[in-house]
């Protein structure tokens, strides 16, 4: 059998370290790019400048040597070599050294230079040779070669310029880059420290407050004077969540208190009357019937309460799916109104204005529950005249149901709250229909699940009108109804 492997907690990295690494990486990338670009540019610039310098020196020398006496050649070459900081060589076409006359150092090197120059010119067409100015670029130096006419004799002039300065400069830049990288590392360390402190401190602060909230302290408000907009937004969201959780928590507590209270009252009555029957009225048939009826009534009340609680939890948990059918709304409404018929003997006037044969497409059972709860409330809360008006009228689109009472009305600030679970306005009210305090919540849940618009218009002291706008049945569903549903 395979063992249940425990999931290892994911390793987390501190914000400080991440920030430091980011800063460091950023600084290093920047320095590397900068060094590479800088080196490349300096190199290119220096090399092309040296080539231009060689060409210029070569051009000047070519003119001067042609014009002047061959005896002055050495002096001219020496002065030009100094002026342009280049090394100059003059060879006869068959390889004799004209300048320097006695080459110092390694003789082979001069010979190799001659061979190199000669090789380059040998490769050219003879008519191009005299005018040609050849420029060569090597890793450590650049060279220039041309043919000059000295005392009516053609010679090879070769100039070279070393890149020693450039190499030195490149090394210096490399060192500077290394030092800058080191400084950047230190700076990244310091800056990331400050930045992470600026971020982590408020984050820790918010976390602490969130923990307080989790412990049930809804008063731990989230301040919104942080430097970062995102943290202020988070605070706003948490403040909102906190107020919503606190409301739900309050409602939950109220619900439990109210439900247990409403369970307790009938249970106490049942126990008291059962004891009374056992001890006193058992042998008195009239009293016994009266007491037994009270027990039955209270049991009904308990059952209704339990049913309402179950209904609401089913509706709100989303277990129940709405089974829509097309049905005759007018007939069903008459059916519900008739259930309240017994109240006419107690002086209630239930006036109806119901158009016949109005259809809708909804859950039939749940719609009946909506009618029952709204009419029951109207009867419970209507005024001294004890009258209630029930209307069902065809609208341009859909069917409007209205139940109007002449009671105390609902203050505007309570219009939204009456739909909440177990909301009851402070007043105690004598009601002919027993309410669980969940009636309007069930109405709201049912209609919202259907997507049916509903609401209440109320004026304090004058009464209320609860309304629901039922939809017309869709065309395809209408035909199934016509075929005998
Ligand atoms: P219950 O009527 O059992 O208290 P409901 O959920 O049906 O529970 O109603 C919630 C609250 O809304 C009532 O306690 C009452 O304060 C208010 N309410 C409902 N219907 C009316 C009405 N027609 N007129 C005035 N107030 C009403």
């Amino acid at each position: 059998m395979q063992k249940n492997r425990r999931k290892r907690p994911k390793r987390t990295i501190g914000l400080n370290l991440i920030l430091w690494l980011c800063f460091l990486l950023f600084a290093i990338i920047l320095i590397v790019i900068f060094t590479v670009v800088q080196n490349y540019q300096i190199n290119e610039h220096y090399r092309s400048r040296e080539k231009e310098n060689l060409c210029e020196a070569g051009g000047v020398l070519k003119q001067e040597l042609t014009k002047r006496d061959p005896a002055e050649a050495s002096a001219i070459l020496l002065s030009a070599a100094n002026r342009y900081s280049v090394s100059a060589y003059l060879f006869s076409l068959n390889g004799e050294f004209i300048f320097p006359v006695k080459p110092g150092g390694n003789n082979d090197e001069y010979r190799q230079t001659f061979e190199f120059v000669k090789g380059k010119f040998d490769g050219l067409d003879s008519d191009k040779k005299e005018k040609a100015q050849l420029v060569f670029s090597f890793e450590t130096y650049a060279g220039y070669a041309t043919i000059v006419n000295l005392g009516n004799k053609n010679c090879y002039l070769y100039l070279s310029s070393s890149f020693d300065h450039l190499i030195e400069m490149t090394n210096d830049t490399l060192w500077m880059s290394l030092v800058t990288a080191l400084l950047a590392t230190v700076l990244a360390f310091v800056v990331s420290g400050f930045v992470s402190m600026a971020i982590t401190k408020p984050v820790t602060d918010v976390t602490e407050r969130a923990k307080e909230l989790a412990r049930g302290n809804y008063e731990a408000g989230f301040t919104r004077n942080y430097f970062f907009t995102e943290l202020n937004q988070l605070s706003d969201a948490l403040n909102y969540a906190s107020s919503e959780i606190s409301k739900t928590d309050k409602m939950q507590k109220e619900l439990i208190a109210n439900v247990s209270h409403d369970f307790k009252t009938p249970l106490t009555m049942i126990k008291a009357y059962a004891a009374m029957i056992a001890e006193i009225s058992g042998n008195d048939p009239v009293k016994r019937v009266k007491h037994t009826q009270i027990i039955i009534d209270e049991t009904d009340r308990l059952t209704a309460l339990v049913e309402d609680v179950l209904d609401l939890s089913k509706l709100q948990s989303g277990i129940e799916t709405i089974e829509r059918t097309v049905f005759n709304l007018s007939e069903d409404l008459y059916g519900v109104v008739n259930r309240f018929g017994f109240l006419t003997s107690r002086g209630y006037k239930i006036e109806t204005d119901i158009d016949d044969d109005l259809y809708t497409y909804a859950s039939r059972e749940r719609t009946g529950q909506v009618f029952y709860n709204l009419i029951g409330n109207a009867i419970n809360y209507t005024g001294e005249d004890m009258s209630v008006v029930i209307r069902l009228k065809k609208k341009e689109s859909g069917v409007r149901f209205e139940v109007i009472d002449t009671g105390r009305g609902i203050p505007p600030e309570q219009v939204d709250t009456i739909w909440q679970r177990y909301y009851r306005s402070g007043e105690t009210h004598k009601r002919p229909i027993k309410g669980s305090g969940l009636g309007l919540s069930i109405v709201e849940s049912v209609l919202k699940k259907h997507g049916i618009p509903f609401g209440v218009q109320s004026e304090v002291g004058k009464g209320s009108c609860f309304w629901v706008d039922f939809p017309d049945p869709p065309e395809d569903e209408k035909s199934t109804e016509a075929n005998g549903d």
Side-chain angles (χ1 to χ4, degrees):
M1 226 173 79
Q2 210 183 350
K3 272 189 190 171
N4 248 355
R5 266 201 218 152
R6 270 246 210 117
K7 238 190 173 183
R8 262 201 236 151
K10 210 175 163 194
R11 272 190 66 190
T12 53
I13 310 173
L15 194 61
N16 294 17
L17 185 63
I18 292 180
L19 274 175
W20 182 71
L21 285 176
C22 286
F23 269 100
L24 193 65
L25 203 71
F26 180 70
I28 288 177
I29 289 175
L30 220 64
I31 290 163
V32 168
I33 292 175
F34 182 71
T35 314
V36 169
V37 170
Q38 199 192 29
N39 269 351
Y40 176 77
Q41 280 218 324
I42 291 176
N43 244 291
E44 284 301 297
H45 181 73
Y46 192 92
R47 280 167 192 270
S48 74
R49 233 192 49 202
E50 277 311 302
K51 281 188 214 164
E52 279 168 22
N53 185 44
L54 281 173
C55 287
E56 196 186 321
V60 170
L61 276 173
K62 194 170 173 143
Q63 272 185 8
E64 290 210 357
L65 290 172
T66 317
K67 275 192 275 169
R68 310 271 283 272
D69 191 334
E72 291 174 49
S74 291
I76 295 167
L77 282 166
L78 210 57
S79 111
N82 281 337
R83 203 173 343 133
Y84 291 100
S85 303
V86 295
S87 309
Y89 307 87
L90 198 63
F91 311 100
S92 71
L93 292 188
N94 50 19
E96 289 159 28
F97 303 125
I98 302 171
F99 181 85
V101 186
K102 278 186 191 152
N106 190 349
N107 215 348
D108 282 350
E109 212 178 296
Y110 289 89
R111 186 128 305 276
Q112 275 169 13
T113 310
F114 168 73
E115 294 298 338
F116 170 75
V117 175
K118 187 175 180 299
K120 290 284 171 192
F121 278 95
D122 285 351
L124 294 178
D125 295 341
S126 51
D127 52 326
K128 286 185 187 159
K129 274 187 190 171
E130 283 190 25
K131 282 186 188 152
Q133 299 192 59
L134 308 177
V135 182
F136 325 101
S137 185
F138 301 99
E139 188 55 35
T140 50
Y141 70 96
Y144 168 91
T146 188
I147 291 181
V148 294
N149 192 285
L150 189 70
N152 285 334
K153 239 173 84 186
N154 276 350
C155 307
Y156 294 125
L157 170 68
Y158 179 73
L159 305 175
S160 80
S161 168
S162 128
F163 292 148
D164 285 352
H165 281 311
L166 177 67
I167 293 162
E168 253 174 54
M169 234 160 65
T170 316
N171 286 343
D172 284 353
T173 331
L174 208 70
W175 268 111
M176 261 164 58
S177 305
L178 278 176
V179 172
T180 321
L182 205 74
L183 279 177
T185 315
V186 175
L187 206 69
F189 196 74
V190 175
V191 173
S192 65
F194 276 115
V195 174
S196 74
M197 239 166 66
I199 297 175
T200 44
K201 208 176 160 288
V203 170
T204 322
D205 184 44
V206 173
T207 314
E208 281 309 314
R209 283 165 199 260
K211 278 185 193 160
E212 277 291 300
L213 175 67
R215 276 184 223 116
N217 178 7
Y218 305 116
E219 301 306 313
F222 294 86
T223 49
R224 55 176 333 283
N225 51 3
Y226 298 114
F227 181 68
F228 303 100
T229 319
E230 287 77 5
L231 276 178
N232 287 329
Q233 285 168 349
L234 178 66
S235 290
D236 281 348
L238 286 170
N239 271 331
Y240 179 68
S242 153
S243 85
E244 289 302 300
I245 297 171
S246 107
K247 268 193 230 161
T248 319
D249 192 55
K250 201 171 151 222
M251 266 167 60
Q252 197 91 16
K253 283 180 185 147
E254 273 173 19
L255 178 74
I256 293 170
N258 288 333
V259 170
S260 31
H261 175 261
D262 275 21
F263 269 111
K264 228 176 135 191
T265 319
L267 282 174
T268 317
M269 299 269 275
I270 291 167
K271 192 182 169 190
Y273 280 94
M276 232 188 289
I277 295 168
E279 288 163 20
I280 307 165
S281 58
N283 295 326
D284 179 341
V286 181
K287 274 191 182 168
R288 194 179 61 220
V289 168
K290 203 176 144 204
H291 292 166
T292 321
Q293 189 55 47
I294 292 173
I295 292 176
I296 293 168
D297 285 351
E298 290 304 317
T299 317
D300 285 347
R301 204 171 133 186
L302 264 182
T303 313
L305 180 62
V306 171
E307 271 170 8
D308 275 1
V309 171
L310 285 178
D311 261 354
L312 193 64
S313 84
K314 253 198 276 173
L315 281 163
Q316 294 192 337
S317 63
I319 309 169
E320 195 182 84
T321 46
I322 297 285
E323 299 280 338
R324 288 181 175 82
T325 51
V326 176
F327 62 93
N328 192 325
L329 205 55
S330 315
E331 274 179 14
D332 280 27
L333 182 55
Y334 275 124
V336 175
V337 173
N338 286 341
R339 284 165 66 191
F340 292 100
F342 71 98
L343 289 170
T344 41
S345 61
R346 293 201 210 164
Y348 280 93
K349 294 184 271 299
I350 302 176
E351 192 185 310
T352 52
D353 179 7
I354 301 172
D355 286 353
D356 283 335
D357 294 331
L358 297 178
Y359 285 82
T360 193
Y361 181 60
S363 155
R364 192 168 186 175
E365 191 194 332
R366 292 290 180 202
T367 305
Q369 211 172 1
V370 168
F371 284 152
Y372 186 86
N373 288 356
L374 292 181
I375 297 171
N377 275 352
I379 291 166
N380 275 339
Y381 298 104
T382 197
E384 307 251 298
D385 63 355
M386 296 172 103
S387 68
V388 167
V389 178
I390 296 163
R391 280 202 194 112
L392 192 72
K393 292 271 149 200
K394 178 81 191 90
K395 285 199 337 174
E396 202 175 312
S397 152
V399 177
R400 173 163 276 223
F401 164 76
E402 283 177 354
V403 54
I404 302 155
D405 66 66
T406 58
R408 59 183 180 186
I410 302 158
E413 69 277 7
Q414 287 177 16
V415 163
D416 288 334
T417 34
I418 51 165
W419 308 95
Q420 284 170 8
R421 271 177 294 174
Y422 241 105
Y423 172 82
R424 261 178 189 169
S425 68
E427 266 175 75
T428 44
H429 190 91
K430 240 185 130 207
R431 349 146 161 229
I433 314 293
K434 291 185 177 65
S436 61
L438 300 173
L440 285 186
S441 305
I442 293 175
V443 169
E444 188 200 37
S445 297
V446 168
L447 295 175
K448 273 195 173 163
K449 266 201 142 185
H450 279 82
I452 294 177
F454 63 95
V456 59
Q457 280 157 357
S458 188
E459 211 178 311
V460 176
K462 285 204 167 166
S464 316
C465 167
F466 282 81
W467 58 268
V468 183
D469 278 341
F470 289 98
D472 284 328
E475 283 305 315
D476 46 338
E477 296 292 338
K478 261 185 202 164
S479 52
T480 33
E481 170 70 13
N483 289 341
D485 184 21

